[in-house]
């Protein structure tokens, strides 16, 4: 018997809508949901490798309890009852002796995040944090400083754009299927793509203008662009006059930042910079300066991201066709969003978070996500208090937080590490107990609230029964909760019951998702009136170039630009990034994806490599202040001489992942754990490394 | 020569390999054989602009296929109705002659079955009114499949758009 199930992919965090063909409880075929515009059957390579994950013998097949030293790989299988009881007992003991706040839970934001937040609130811990800050904490803070909205509340109208400017945003390799198709449609209609990246990517080969910028100097380039736009009055005066405060301060600030000045900093000619400013102004407001997917490269990241948003503001591309727009929720048209378990009443928590977000020490990062890279410091320094237990839910601290050695040192200090994961990730391998999660094809999940120009809800629906002894994460947390005596916060026995509870009062039920996989609150696009109807959430109700948020926290909106230092002759700036076939640190062991890209290499400029006697394919030793390792060199003219590059997510130490074990080098093992202490992102590209022939 | 035409709109292709992965997943193939493959040439700088070619290589389904002629057991066949070249696994003895015969490397080796395996345009899917796996899930829809006599017009349309002068008619 063949049936079709509409669901949501989860090979990466984008969650594209899919249609799964199932026969006799086996997944036969996966394709993009044909009913969703911009998808229409499409997948990305990760999405196409979903069945390879489902049937992979390398998955964690049952609860596992560690029997040897941490990381030794000595395990024994356990029943769910035994594993849950053990985790419950140990957590109870830690909470009784050290308080609920001594427990931290990290996760990659996902559909069941409200469940894990509920779990933490119920045990009295403020220490729920997500992977978000590691990816884009400073982009979030930058957006709030200008608009009062987070970056996640801002959408991009690729389809109608006339010119898009990408700062290292490798849009055709770090793929979001809908966005890719909307942009290729726009390009077919003549849209220009300016790609600014110190390394030639697939995106660069598809662009209409490519600039190999000196690494780390995008901010200088933007100040010069702003300089030209203001000097020549190329901005959208009607929009700016109506909505912007602080234009004079901006004008004064960028006055010395001429294109000639920027040429010396960036390596991009002053004439080219002038040309781009004039070119985008002609296409205003259907212009996008892309604010980034990952925005976590430098210690002044927030100012770089602010400068991108400001360029959009000057083009008037806010809430404009072919520009940026604010995502609309169901409330806009009288609808009701799905319920979340966090709407319940919880015991009050008075203590600060482990990362001190929201305190005068670290006032601006988003407390909904926290700042994950502070975790090693908080554990090691017991500041603001000792942490004793860490629960990782789809979160991988060892390879995601810079300085893996430091992170492991911190992990060693914990009394309990529990990981909920599908695979033997490095953190699963380093844990005391692994509670295996069912894949997206084996579980129903919480409602996806899709805000946008048309508010919608999507549902991930179980396609097949679990292949192994695994459970949905939201059920695992509930069951740990029951062991801890907080079961009343989880009023469901199955995922279907939880979804039904979430849908109460929305006017929809699970049946409504049956025919297309989603429901829509209305059929018209909602754009606010650009003259009078944009409800900016800043204190002034306007776009604040001179930001109240920053000022109140004691920071300047336009601090002096600090020149980016070039590495000494024998060193390079380490830069990391993505390819199309892998997701972060989670897919390197997938049989089909591993087959295409089994390891990373070190991209190094051909001229520099020649002088150092390094040939293509040679093994080289890469060292930084906090780690070193060996990797094969990829000698190429396609990279700026000041930097070397490696793909993120390789160099796994988990022997449970047999294909990816010890393949390539882990970038996080070389990176120093330093951050943009205003915005909240780590500065992944702040580290200099030496490279030597091995 | 099959009666079909599989068109790759190279301008739209981003070389992401979704086609390869979906093909393998659909045919349940192990690591090793790739019935279609994206071969990247470049990038190289053409002036200031980096350029690369992402070329899709399935089987061409030739009019007079080298592989069919070379196959000693009759396993490699051309479907009469539409010219699709396919291999019947029940007849294949794993001699690899087809791998040697094909000038473009289309037939592949399946180490799990010990037999040749190749692109058959997903003829089981075609017979159900569907498109080949690679075409169905192609990220950018740059792969298109249909009767060879009605090929996609996108290249002509692009050229016409680029050349069009709406102000003067010659």
């Amino acid at each position: 018997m063949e049936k079709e199930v509409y669901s949501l992919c989860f090979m990466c965090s984008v969650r594209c809508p899919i249609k799964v063909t199932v026969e006799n409880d086996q997944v036969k075929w996966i394709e993009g949901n044909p009913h969703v515009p911009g998808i229409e059957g499409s997948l990305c390579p990760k999405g196409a490798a979903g069945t390879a994950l489902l049937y992979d013998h390398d998955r964690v097949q049952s609860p596992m309890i560690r029997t040897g030293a941490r990381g030794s790989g000595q395990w024994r299988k356990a029943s769910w009852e035994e594993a849950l009881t053990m985790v419950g007992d140990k957590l109870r003991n830690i909470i009784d002796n050290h308080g609920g706040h001594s427990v931290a839970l990290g996760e990659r934001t996902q559909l069941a995040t409200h469940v894990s937040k509920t779990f933490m609130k119920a045990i009295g811990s403020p220490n729920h944090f997500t992977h978000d800050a590691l990816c884009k904490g400073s982009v979030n803070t930058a957006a709030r400083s200008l608009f009062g909205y987070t970056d996640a509340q801002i959408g991009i109208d690729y389809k109608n754009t006339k010119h898009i400017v990408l700062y290292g945003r490798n849009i055709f390799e770090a793929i979001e299927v809908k966005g890719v198709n909307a942009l290729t449609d726009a390009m077919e209609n003549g849209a220009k793509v300016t790609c600014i990246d110190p390394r030639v990517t697939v995106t660069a080969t598809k662009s209409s203008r490519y600039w190999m910028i000196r690494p780390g100097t995008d901010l200088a380039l933007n100040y010069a662009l702003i300089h030209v736009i203001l000097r020549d009055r190329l901005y959208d005066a009607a929009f700016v006059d109506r909505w912007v405060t602080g234009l004079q301060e901006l004008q004064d600030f960028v006055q010395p930042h001429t294109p000639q000045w920027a040429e010396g900093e960036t390596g991009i000619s002053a004439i080219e910079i002038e040309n781009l400013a004039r070119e985008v102004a002609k296409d205003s407001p259907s212009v996008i300066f892309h604010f980034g997917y990952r925005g976590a490269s430098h210690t002044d990241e927030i100012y770089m991201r602010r400068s991108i948003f400001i360029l959009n503001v000057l083009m008037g591309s806010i809430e404009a066709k072919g520009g940026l727009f604010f995502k609309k929720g169901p409330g806009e048209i009288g609808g009701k969003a799905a319920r979340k378990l966090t709407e319940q009443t919880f015991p009050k928590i008075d203590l600060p978070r482990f990362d001190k977000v929201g305190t005068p020490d670290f006032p601006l990062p988003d407390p909904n996500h926290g700042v994950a890279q502070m975790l090693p410091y908080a554990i090691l320094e017991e500041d603001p208090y000792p942490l004793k237990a860490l629960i990782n839910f789809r979160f991988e601290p060892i390879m995601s937080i810079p300085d893996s050695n430091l992170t492991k040192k911190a992990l060693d200090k914990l009394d309990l590490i529990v990981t909920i994961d599908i695979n033997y990730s490095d953190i699963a391998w380093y844990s005391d107990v692994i509670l295996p999660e069912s894949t997206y094809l084996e579980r129903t999940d919480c409602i996806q609230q899709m805000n946008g120009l048309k508010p919608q809800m999507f549902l991930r629906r179980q396609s097949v029964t679990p292949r192994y002894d695994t459970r949905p994460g939201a059920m695992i947390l509930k069951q740990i909760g029951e062991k801890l005596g907080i079961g009343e916060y989880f009023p469901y026995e199955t995922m279907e019951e939880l979804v039904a509870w979430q849908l109460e009062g929305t006017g929809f039920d699970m049946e409504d998702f049956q025919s297309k996989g989603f429901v829509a609150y209305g059929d018209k696009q909602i754009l606010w009136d650009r003259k009078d109807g944009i409800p900016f959430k800043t204190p002034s109700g306007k776009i604040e170039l001179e930001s109240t948020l920053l000022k109140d926290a004691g920071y300047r909106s336009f601090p002096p630009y600090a020149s980016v230092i070039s590495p000494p002759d024998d060193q390079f700036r380490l830069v990391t990034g993505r390819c199309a076939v892998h997701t972060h640190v989670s897919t390197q062991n997938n049989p089909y994806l591993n087959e295409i890209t089994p390891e990373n290499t070190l991209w190094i400029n051909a001229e520099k490599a020649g002088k150092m006697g390094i040939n293509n394919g040679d093994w080289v030793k890469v060292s930084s202040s906090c780690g070193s390792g060996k990797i094969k060199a990829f000698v190429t003219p396609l990279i700026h001489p000041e930097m070397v590059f490696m793909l993120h997510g390789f160099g796994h130490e988990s022997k449970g992942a047999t294909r990816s074990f010890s393949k390539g080098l882990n970038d996080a093992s070389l990176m120093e754990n330093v951050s943009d202490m205003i915005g909240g992102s780590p500065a992944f590209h702040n580290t200099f490394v030496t490279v030597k022939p091995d | 020569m099959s009666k079909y035409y599989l068109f790759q709109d190279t301008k739209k292709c981003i070389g992401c390999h979704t086609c390869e992965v979906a093909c393998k997943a659909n045919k349940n193939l192990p690591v090793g054989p790739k019935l279609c493959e994206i071969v990247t040439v470049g990038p190289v700088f053409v002036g200031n602009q980096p350029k690369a070619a992402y070329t899709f290589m399935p089987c061409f389904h030739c009019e007079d296929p080298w592989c069919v002629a070379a196959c000693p057991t009759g396993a490699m066949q051309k479907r009469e109705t539409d010219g699709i070249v396919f291999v019947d696994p029940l007849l294949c003895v794993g001699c690899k002659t087809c791998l040697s015969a094909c000038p473009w490397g289309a037939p592949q080796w399946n180490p799990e079955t010990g037999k040749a395996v190749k692109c058959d345009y997903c003829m089981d899917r075609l017979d159900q009114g569907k498109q080949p796996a690679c075409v169905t899930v192609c990220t950018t829809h740059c792969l298109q499949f249909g009767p060879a006599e009605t090929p996609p017009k996108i290249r002509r349309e692009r050229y016409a758009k680029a050349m069009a002068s709406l102000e003067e008619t010659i």
Side-chain angles (χ1 to χ4, degrees):
Chain A
M1 242 312 260
E2 195 176 278
K3 63 168 181 170
E4 285 176 342
V5 182
Y6 289 101
S7 190
L8 290 171
C9 184
F10 207 25
M11 293 298 287
C12 82
S13 293
V14 173
R15 299 186 285 248
C16 291
I18 52 172
K19 186 175 85 173
V20 183
T21 306
V22 177
E23 196 185 316
N24 300 326
D25 200 30
Q26 305 290 327
V27 173
K28 290 290 168 196
W29 172 248
I30 304 172
E31 67 182 57
N33 184 333
H35 301 294
V36 177
I39 297 285
E40 290 140 344
S42 291
L43 293 174
C44 78
K46 284 104 67 180
T51 45
L53 169 70
L54 176 68
Y55 295 105
D56 188 358
H57 295 290
D58 266 7
R59 283 173 55 187
V60 186
Q61 298 189 12
S62 70
M64 301 297 279
I65 293 174
R66 181 171 63 82
T67 55
R70 270 194 191 143
S72 66
Q74 288 167 282
W75 301 98
R76 67 176 174 85
K77 278 188 178 185
S79 69
W80 276 98
E81 181 54 29
E82 185 192 2
L84 289 167
T85 303
M86 177 187 267
V87 171
D89 287 350
K90 291 197 169 189
L91 278 176
R92 169 52 56 211
N93 197 281
I94 288 168
I95 292 167
D96 287 348
N97 287 311
H98 305 280
H101 59 275
S102 65
V103 180
L105 184 150
E107 73 178 325
R108 271 179 200 276
T109 315
Q110 40 132 2
L111 298 175
T113 292
H114 69 115
V115 178
S116 23
K117 285 194 173 184
T118 297
F119 179 89
M120 295 302 280
K121 284 171 189 282
I123 65 168
S125 174
N127 293 326
H128 176 275
F129 65 100
T130 75
H131 179 89
D132 273 46
L134 291 168
C135 178
K136 60 191 190 67
S138 299
V139 188
N140 176 326
T141 312
R144 278 183 290 122
S145 79
L146 289 155
F147 310 117
Y149 292 94
T150 69
D151 61 310
Q153 293 169 304
I154 300 173
I156 297 176
D157 182 12
Y158 294 107
K159 203 181 177 90
N160 295 301
T161 198
K162 292 178 181 161
H163 196 142
I164 185 167
V165 183
L166 304 165
Y167 299 83
R169 169 70 182 102
N170 189 3
I171 203 159
F172 293 137
E173 287 188 89
I175 294 174
E176 177 208 354
V177 174
K178 255 189 185 180
V180 165
N181 278 308
L183 181 58
T184 48
D185 283 354
M187 288 163 72
E188 191 64 42
N189 292 326
K192 295 186 243 357
V193 178
T194 293
C195 174
I196 301 160
D197 197 317
R199 178 181 72 103
V200 172
T201 59
V202 171
T203 308
T205 68
K206 292 285 167 181
S207 68
S208 34
R209 175 193 274 111
Y210 169 70
W211 287 346
M212 188 181 278
I213 194 170
R214 188 167 78 88
T217 63
D218 308 54
L219 179 56
L221 169 67
N222 282 353
Y223 284 158
L225 285 169
I226 295 170
H227 174 101
V228 177
I229 289 165
L230 293 180
R231 182 196 68 199
D232 296 350
R233 297 188 66 79
L234 297 171
Y235 58 91
D236 181 340
F239 182 83
V240 169
D241 290 349
R242 172 66 185 88
W243 291 114
V244 170
T245 67
L247 190 68
Q248 189 59 50
E249 288 86 343
L250 177 66
Q251 192 143 18
D252 294 345
F253 173 77
V254 296
Q255 204 274 328
H257 296 305
T258 61
Q260 288 74 21
W261 165 83
E263 179 174 327
E265 184 71 3
T266 62
I268 298 165
S269 87
I271 296 165
E272 291 262 332
I273 296 172
E274 299 251 3
N275 286 346
L276 177 62
R278 272 191 289 277
E279 208 178 286
V280 288
K282 276 187 202 140
D283 288 328
S284 145
S286 297
V287 171
I288 297 160
F289 286 86
H290 200 297
F291 52 85
Y293 218 48
R294 173 166 71 87
S297 300
H298 301 282
T299 52
D300 59 359
E301 193 73 29
I302 182 171
Y303 294 108
M304 151 60 181
R305 299 297 153 180
R306 273 172 53 83
S307 71
I308 297 177
F309 282 122
I310 289 171
L311 282 161
N312 286 293
V313 171
L314 295 177
M315 289 296 110
S317 66
I318 307 297
E319 205 65 14
K321 202 175 173 188
L324 308 184
F325 61 87
F326 295 103
K327 294 179 184 173
K328 315 300 185 300
E332 282 292 316
I333 40 173
K336 195 169 168 292
R339 296 170 73 187
K340 289 182 176 178
L341 289 175
T342 42
E343 72 182 38
Q344 302 173 91
T345 310
F346 299 96
K348 200 167 175 306
I349 301 167
D350 291 322
L351 285 158
R353 301 174 50 88
F354 77 88
D355 48 25
K356 301 189 194 175
V357 166
T359 74
D361 284 349
F362 212 4
L364 294 187
D366 189 340
N368 279 318
H369 297 289
V371 176
Q373 71 272 23
M374 293 298 138
L375 184 73
Y377 295 118
I379 296 171
L380 289 168
E381 291 157 25
E382 304 195 345
D383 180 18
Y385 42 69
L387 289 172
K388 296 292 175 188
L390 175 65
I391 302 169
N392 306 286
F393 185 8
R394 282 187 80 238
F395 175 65
E396 217 303 14
I398 297 172
M399 297 183 76
S400 304
I401 296 175
D403 198 345
S404 303
N405 288 329
L406 182 81
T407 304
K408 276 196 259 180
K409 206 172 138 194
L411 292 174
D412 288 342
K413 215 178 149 183
L414 294 171
D415 293 345
L416 178 67
I417 306 173
V418 179
T419 295
I420 301 170
D421 208 332
I422 289 165
N423 294 307
Y424 279 106
S425 60
D426 281 28
I427 186 59
W429 198 248
Y430 214 72
S431 297
D432 305 327
V433 182
I434 314 173
L435 302 173
E437 194 185 19
S438 304
T439 66
Y440 65 100
L441 294 165
E442 301 163 309
R443 68 177 197 250
T444 294
D445 221 324
C446 298
I447 289 289
Q448 179 179 32
Q449 199 75 45
M450 271 280 276
N451 293 344
L453 291 174
K454 283 186 202 168
Q456 297 170 323
M457 282 192 282
F458 282 78
L459 182 60
R460 174 175 296 131
R461 210 160 202 168
Q462 183 176 6
S463 299
V464 292
T465 54
R467 307 294 94 167
Y468 304 113
D469 190 11
T470 62
R471 294 180 179 178
M475 295 304 296
I476 297 172
L477 282 172
K478 167 193 160 68
Q479 287 156 1
I480 301 174
E482 283 167 352
K483 299 286 179 195
L484 289 170
I486 52 166
E488 76 266 23
Y489 291 101
F490 307 92
Y492 54 92
E493 294 304 321
T494 62
M495 288 308 294
E496 286 70 22
E497 279 182 30
L498 176 53
V499 171
W501 179 89
Q502 285 196 282
L503 289 173
E504 277 173 19
T506 61
F508 298 103
D509 61 32
M510 272 182 85
E511 285 306 301
D512 295 324
F513 292 82
Q514 198 83 36
S515 60
K516 289 182 176 178
F518 64 94
V519 295
Y521 289 89
D523 54 6
K524 285 202 186 82
Q525 290 200 343
I526 314 163
L527 271 169
W528 287 325
D529 174 11
R530 268 162 56 86
K531 271 195 185 141
D532 283 312
I534 314 182
F536 291 109
K537 286 193 186 166
T538 51
S540 62
K542 292 193 170 189
I543 300 169
E544 298 187 345
L545 304 185
E546 179 79 24
S547 162
T548 311
L549 187 82
L550 288 173
K551 194 175 171 200
D552 288 352
Y555 303 115
R556 298 169 70 169
S557 288
F558 303 108
Y561 178 82
S563 183
V564 175
I565 47 167
S566 297
D569 242 3
D570 59 336
Q571 292 184 27
F572 298 86
R573 186 178 294 279
L574 175 63
V575 172
T576 185
R578 307 278 186 267
C579 66
V581 303
H582 284 300
T583 299
H584 294 274
V585 301
S586 67
T587 57
Q588 288 74 20
N589 197 51
N590 180 293
Y592 286 162
L593 302 175
N594 180 279
E595 181 180 12
I596 297 172
T597 306
E599 63 182 351
N600 57 358
T601 56
L602 188 80
W603 290 48
I604 183 166
N605 179 273
E607 210 171 302
K608 294 272 270 196
K611 284 182 197 159
M612 297 164 73
I614 294 169
N615 297 307
N616 198 29
D618 283 358
W619 283 94
V620 292
K621 188 177 179 193
V622 191
S623 314
S624 73
S625 68
C626 56
S628 67
K630 287 177 191 171
I631 184 170
K632 279 184 211 152
F634 172 56
V635 174
T636 172
L638 305 171
I639 187 169
H640 195 280
E642 282 192 10
M643 64 180 259
V644 288
F645 169 89
M646 63 175 77
L647 287 171
H648 178 57
F650 288 89
H652 286 266
E653 291 183 351
S654 162
K655 291 181 183 161
T658 56
R659 304 172 202 98
S660 60
F661 169 68
S662 204
K663 293 281 167 61
L665 184 53
N666 169 16
D667 55 356
S669 70
L670 299 163
M671 291 169 172
E672 294 151 10
N673 186 341
V674 288
S675 294
D676 164 8
M677 290 305 290
I678 304 173
S681 283
F684 286 127
H685 299 170
N686 196 61
T687 304
F688 289 164
V689 294
T690 55
V691 179
K692 298 224 159 71
D694 186 49
Chain B
M1 174 188 67
S2 80
K3 65 180 201 181
Y4 305 110
Y5 175 45
L6 202 164
F7 169 70
Q8 180 201 12
D9 185 353
T10 47
K11 194 169 181 228
K12 265 183 134 177
C13 179
I14 55 172
C16 70
H17 304 279
T18 302
C19 45
E20 287 174 30
V21 178
C23 170
K24 297 193 67 148
N26 181 53
K27 297 262 190 232
N28 200 17
L29 290 174
V31 168
K34 290 181 178 178
L35 308 196
C36 65
E37 189 167 4
I38 292 285
V39 180
T40 300
V41 179
V44 292
F45 276 100
V46 180
N48 290 325
Q49 206 49 36
K51 294 283 176 195
Y54 308 100
T55 304
F56 179 69
M57 294 283 290
C59 169
F60 296 141
H61 298 274
C62 310
E63 168 69 16
D64 198 0
W66 282 256
C67 59
V68 172
C71 178
T73 68
M76 194 65 81
Q77 305 167 37
K78 208 172 128 182
R79 190 154 85 156
E80 266 183 31
T81 49
D82 54 13
I84 286 177
V85 179
F86 70 102
V87 58
D88 181 344
L90 294 176
L91 297 176
C92 178
V93 293
C95 70
K96 307 187 188 77
T97 308
C98 54
L99 275 71
S100 308
C102 176
W104 299 282
Q108 299 274 304
W109 182 249
N110 184 338
E112 268 182 6
T113 59
K115 291 171 192 285
V117 58
K118 74 175 286 297
C119 164
D120 60 3
Y121 278 159
C122 296
M123 55 186 190
D124 53 330
R125 288 177 60 86
L126 295 188
D127 294 345
Q128 295 168 41
K130 297 173 184 167
Q131 297 262 299
C134 55
V135 174
T136 308
V137 301
C138 170
T139 305
T140 62
H141 304 291
C142 81
L143 296 180
Q144 293 174 40
F145 183 84
E149 62 270 26
T150 53
K153 287 185 180 162
I154 185 70
R155 282 184 174 154
R156 279 183 174 171
E157 284 170 1
R158 259 186 215 135
Y159 181 75
K161 252 197 236 174
M163 298 306 290
S165 165
L166 299 178
E167 282 159 13
E168 295 194 30
T169 310
I170 298 164

